[in-house]
């Protein structure tokens, strides 16, 4: 086993990505891109006028989802993500834009390539499960 493989195998994705400041940078870039990029317009339109709430909550959620502190659960209990997304219209287009936006944000914030590939697949599973039309 290479040294790098050993390192990555013994850490949570949260440690691997670089902990809280890197999760924050990723979430900030994700919502900035959603606001800026014409290619994510339908995804942006599924959100409210401000992304501030979503930004805060996704940061809390991802810290726990990646194996770090469970900030989201401490505040809101079980995430029940599919149920919480029911008020929003989510189809294939929104799913694909969410994952593309997150993948671009991972690339631009320097998420290690191996980790980026794995997380993209996990995000796709989660986003697909959120579809409600
Ligand atoms: C598939 C396309 C998706 C769309 C269109 C979408 C859209 C939204 C919207 C509109 C909100 C409400 C934001 C607010 O409170 O102002 C939200 C909340 C949230 N989303 Fe998504 N989302 C998607 C996928 C995902 C995925 C894949 C994850 C996790 C990996 C996720 C995690 C969250 C979390 C944690 C919240 C906060 C829930 C709460 O406590 O209210 N979303 N999302």
């Amino acid at each position: 086993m290479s040294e790098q493989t050993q390192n990555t195998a013994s850490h949570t994705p949260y440690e691997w990505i670089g902990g809280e400041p890197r999760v924050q940078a990723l979430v900030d870039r994700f919502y900035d891109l959603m606001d800026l990029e014409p290619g994510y317009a339908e995804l942006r339109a599924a959100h409210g006028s401000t992304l501030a709430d979503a930004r805060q909550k996704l940061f809390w959620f991802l810290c726990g989802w990646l194996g770090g502190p469970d900030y989201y659960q401490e505040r809101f209990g079980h995430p029940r993500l599919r149920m919480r997304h029911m008020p929003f219209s989510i189809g294939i287009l929104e799913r694909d834009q969410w994952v593309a936006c997150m993948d671009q944000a991972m690339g631009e914030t320097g998420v290690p390539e191996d980790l980026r590939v794995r997380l993209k697949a996990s995000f796709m599973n989660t986003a697909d499960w959120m579809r409600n039309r």
Side-chain angles (χ1 to χ4, degrees):
M1 206 192 276
S2 74
E3 193 182 323
Q4 194 186 2
T5 313
Q6 274 177 350
N7 281 340
T8 54
S10 61
H11 288 75
T12 61
Y14 178 79
E15 291 166 79
W16 191 0
I17 206 171
E20 194 161 319
R22 303 316 302 158
V23 179
Q24 187 72 69
L26 173 63
V27 169
D28 282 341
R29 191 61 191 148
F30 173 73
Y31 285 112
D32 287 348
L33 286 168
M34 197 190 290
D35 244 348
L36 290 166
E37 293 279 338
Y40 308 135
E42 288 81 5
L43 176 63
R44 178 64 188 84
H47 290 71
S49 56
T50 163
L51 297 173
D53 255 34
R55 203 182 278 265
Q56 181 60 261
K57 287 175 171 176
L58 187 62
F59 166 72
W60 283 330
F61 174 80
L62 283 185
C63 284
W65 189 77
L66 292 167
D70 248 328
Y71 299 130
Y72 186 92
Q73 295 236 36
E74 282 165 13
R75 287 167 176 84
F76 308 110
H78 193 283
R80 292 178 297 162
L81 277 191
R82 187 171 154 76
M83 192 276 282
R84 291 193 208 261
H85 283 78
M86 280 300 175
F88 318 112
S89 174
I90 303 180
I92 299 271
L93 185 68
E94 290 79 8
R95 177 200 71 185
D96 288 349
Q97 288 188 2
W98 198 103
V99 175
C101 187
M102 182 54 78
D103 188 53
Q104 185 176 347
M106 288 195 288
E108 292 184 9
T109 58
V111 173
E113 197 52 33
D114 295 8
L115 179 60
R116 180 181 173 185
V117 169
R118 289 198 212 182
L119 290 180
K120 187 180 181 185
S122 299
F123 280 132
M124 179 49 99
N125 275 334
T126 308
D128 188 57
W129 174 62
M130 233 76 87
R131 280 194 294 127
N132 51 32
R133 70 157 158 78

mmCIF file of all heavy atoms in Angstrom, residues 2-17:
data_model
loop_
_atom_site.group_PDB
_atom_site.id
_atom_site.type_symbol
_atom_site.label_atom_id
_atom_site.label_comp_id
_atom_site.label_asym_id
_atom_site.label_seq_id
_atom_site.Cartn_x
_atom_site.Cartn_y
_atom_site.Cartn_z
ATOM 1 N N SER A 2 0.561 2.209 -0.812
ATOM 2 C CA SER A 2 1.358 3.437 -0.830
ATOM 3 C C SER A 2 1.110 4.229 0.452
ATOM 4 O O SER A 2 0.103 4.036 1.133
ATOM 5 C CB SER A 2 0.970 4.302 -2.017
ATOM 6 O OG SER A 2 -0.282 4.896 -1.773
ATOM 7 N N GLU A 3 2.047 5.121 0.757
ATOM 8 C CA GLU A 3 1.885 5.917 1.976
ATOM 9 C C GLU A 3 0.593 6.738 1.920
ATOM 10 O O GLU A 3 -0.133 6.862 2.887
ATOM 11 C CB GLU A 3 3.096 6.838 2.142
ATOM 12 C CG GLU A 3 3.147 7.470 3.536
ATOM 13 C CD GLU A 3 4.322 8.421 3.656
ATOM 14 O OE1 GLU A 3 5.394 8.116 3.090
ATOM 15 O OE2 GLU A 3 4.153 9.451 4.289
ATOM 16 N N GLN A 4 0.318 7.253 0.699
ATOM 17 C CA GLN A 4 -0.868 8.096 0.577
ATOM 18 C C GLN A 4 -2.152 7.297 0.836
ATOM 19 O O GLN A 4 -3.060 7.757 1.519
ATOM 20 C CB GLN A 4 -0.926 8.735 -0.804
ATOM 21 C CG GLN A 4 -1.944 9.853 -0.818
ATOM 22 C CD GLN A 4 -2.147 10.431 -2.204
ATOM 23 O OE1 GLN A 4 -1.549 9.980 -3.167
ATOM 24 N NE2 GLN A 4 -2.995 11.426 -2.293
ATOM 25 N N THR A 5 -2.188 6.062 0.302
ATOM 26 C CA THR A 5 -3.371 5.235 0.511
ATOM 27 C C THR A 5 -3.556 4.942 1.997
ATOM 28 O O THR A 5 -4.659 5.000 2.518
ATOM 29 C CB THR A 5 -3.248 3.912 -0.268
ATOM 30 O OG1 THR A 5 -2.815 4.209 -1.574
ATOM 31 C CG2 THR A 5 -4.569 3.195 -0.328
ATOM 32 N N GLN A 6 -2.429 4.644 2.686
ATOM 33 C CA GLN A 6 -2.520 4.379 4.122
ATOM 34 C C GLN A 6 -3.069 5.590 4.863
ATOM 35 O O GLN A 6 -3.946 5.465 5.703
ATOM 36 C CB GLN A 6 -1.134 4.053 4.680
ATOM 37 C CG GLN A 6 -0.796 2.590 4.542
ATOM 38 C CD GLN A 6 0.600 2.299 5.032
ATOM 39 O OE1 GLN A 6 1.387 3.203 5.310
ATOM 40 N NE2 GLN A 6 0.918 1.034 5.131
ATOM 41 N N ASN A 7 -2.543 6.763 4.509
ATOM 42 C CA ASN A 7 -3.001 7.977 5.184
ATOM 43 C C ASN A 7 -4.498 8.177 5.006
ATOM 44 O O ASN A 7 -5.222 8.424 5.952
ATOM 45 C CB ASN A 7 -2.280 9.215 4.628
ATOM 46 C CG ASN A 7 -0.897 9.350 5.220
ATOM 47 O OD1 ASN A 7 -0.623 8.770 6.266
ATOM 48 N ND2 ASN A 7 -0.044 10.091 4.551
ATOM 49 N N THR A 8 -4.932 8.049 3.752
ATOM 50 C CA THR A 8 -6.328 8.341 3.486
ATOM 51 C C THR A 8 -7.225 7.299 4.125
ATOM 52 O O THR A 8 -8.307 7.624 4.591
ATOM 53 C CB THR A 8 -6.599 8.403 1.975
ATOM 54 O OG1 THR A 8 -6.149 7.202 1.389
ATOM 55 C CG2 THR A 8 -5.891 9.577 1.341
ATOM 56 N N ALA A 9 -6.764 6.044 4.202
ATOM 57 C CA ALA A 9 -7.596 4.994 4.767
ATOM 58 C C ALA A 9 -7.799 5.180 6.271
ATOM 59 O O ALA A 9 -8.792 4.736 6.822
ATOM 60 C CB ALA A 9 -6.977 3.624 4.490
ATOM 61 N N SER A 10 -6.859 5.844 6.931
ATOM 62 C CA SER A 10 -6.954 5.962 8.383
ATOM 63 C C SER A 10 -7.639 7.251 8.822
ATOM 64 O O SER A 10 -7.723 7.532 10.002
ATOM 65 C CB SER A 10 -5.564 5.871 9.008
ATOM 66 O OG SER A 10 -4.767 6.929 8.512
ATOM 67 N N HIS A 11 -8.114 8.060 7.892
ATOM 68 C CA HIS A 11 -8.737 9.327 8.245
ATOM 69 C C HIS A 11 -10.189 9.380 7.781
ATOM 70 O O HIS A 11 -10.564 8.731 6.817
ATOM 71 C CB HIS A 11 -7.977 10.486 7.610
ATOM 72 C CG HIS A 11 -6.651 10.749 8.241
ATOM 73 N ND1 HIS A 11 -5.557 9.958 8.033
ATOM 74 C CD2 HIS A 11 -6.253 11.723 9.097
ATOM 75 C CE1 HIS A 11 -4.537 10.438 8.731
ATOM 76 N NE2 HIS A 11 -4.929 11.499 9.393
ATOM 77 N N THR A 12 -10.963 10.190 8.450
ATOM 78 C CA THR A 12 -12.317 10.456 7.946
ATOM 79 C C THR A 12 -12.195 11.430 6.773
ATOM 80 O O THR A 12 -11.210 12.178 6.676
ATOM 81 C CB THR A 12 -13.189 11.125 9.029
ATOM 82 O OG1 THR A 12 -12.592 12.378 9.378
ATOM 83 C CG2 THR A 12 -13.317 10.252 10.266
ATOM 84 N N PRO A 13 -13.212 11.454 5.896
ATOM 85 C CA PRO A 13 -13.210 12.463 4.824
ATOM 86 C C PRO A 13 -13.083 13.881 5.383
ATOM 87 O O PRO A 13 -12.477 14.749 4.758
ATOM 88 C CB PRO A 13 -14.570 12.260 4.155
ATOM 89 C CG PRO A 13 -14.926 10.840 4.441
ATOM 90 C CD PRO A 13 -14.353 10.537 5.796
ATOM 91 N N TYR A 14 -13.620 14.098 6.583
ATOM 92 C CA TYR A 14 -13.549 15.417 7.224
ATOM 93 C C TYR A 14 -12.092 15.824 7.490
ATOM 94 O O TYR A 14 -11.693 16.954 7.216
ATOM 95 C CB TYR A 14 -14.352 15.375 8.533
ATOM 96 C CG TYR A 14 -14.329 16.656 9.328
ATOM 97 C CD1 TYR A 14 -15.133 17.736 8.974
ATOM 98 C CD2 TYR A 14 -13.515 16.773 10.451
ATOM 99 C CE1 TYR A 14 -15.120 18.911 9.719
ATOM 100 C CE2 TYR A 14 -13.504 17.939 11.201
ATOM 101 C CZ TYR A 14 -14.304 19.010 10.831
ATOM 102 O OH TYR A 14 -14.284 20.162 11.576
ATOM 103 N N GLU A 15 -11.308 14.881 7.992
ATOM 104 C CA GLU A 15 -9.886 15.174 8.229
ATOM 105 C C GLU A 15 -9.145 15.302 6.908
ATOM 106 O O GLU A 15 -8.278 16.157 6.743
ATOM 107 C CB GLU A 15 -9.255 14.060 9.068
ATOM 108 C CG GLU A 15 -9.744 14.014 10.502
ATOM 109 C CD GLU A 15 -9.344 12.704 11.170
ATOM 110 O OE1 GLU A 15 -8.185 12.571 11.579
ATOM 111 O OE2 GLU A 15 -10.204 11.805 11.238
ATOM 112 N N TRP A 16 -9.503 14.435 5.971
ATOM 113 C CA TRP A 16 -8.829 14.379 4.675
ATOM 114 C C TRP A 16 -9.005 15.699 3.912
ATOM 115 O O TRP A 16 -8.073 16.231 3.307
ATOM 116 C CB TRP A 16 -9.411 13.187 3.897
ATOM 117 C CG TRP A 16 -8.695 12.776 2.652
ATOM 118 C CD1 TRP A 16 -7.577 13.325 2.103
ATOM 119 C CD2 TRP A 16 -9.078 11.696 1.789
ATOM 120 N NE1 TRP A 16 -7.239 12.658 0.950
ATOM 121 C CE2 TRP A 16 -8.132 11.657 0.738
ATOM 122 C CE3 TRP A 16 -10.119 10.750 1.810
ATOM 123 C CZ2 TRP A 16 -8.220 10.716 -0.286
ATOM 124 C CZ3 TRP A 16 -10.184 9.818 0.779
ATOM 125 C CH2 TRP A 16 -9.239 9.809 -0.252
ATOM 126 N N ILE A 17 -10.200 16.263 4.004
ATOM 127 C CA ILE A 17 -10.474 17.510 3.272
ATOM 128 C C ILE A 17 -9.748 18.694 3.926
ATOM 129 O O ILE A 17 -9.495 19.710 3.269
ATOM 130 C CB ILE A 17 -12.006 17.757 3.186
ATOM 131 C CG1 ILE A 17 -12.374 18.605 1.966
ATOM 132 C CG2 ILE A 17 -12.560 18.374 4.449
ATOM 133 C CD1 ILE A 17 -13.875 18.692 1.711
#
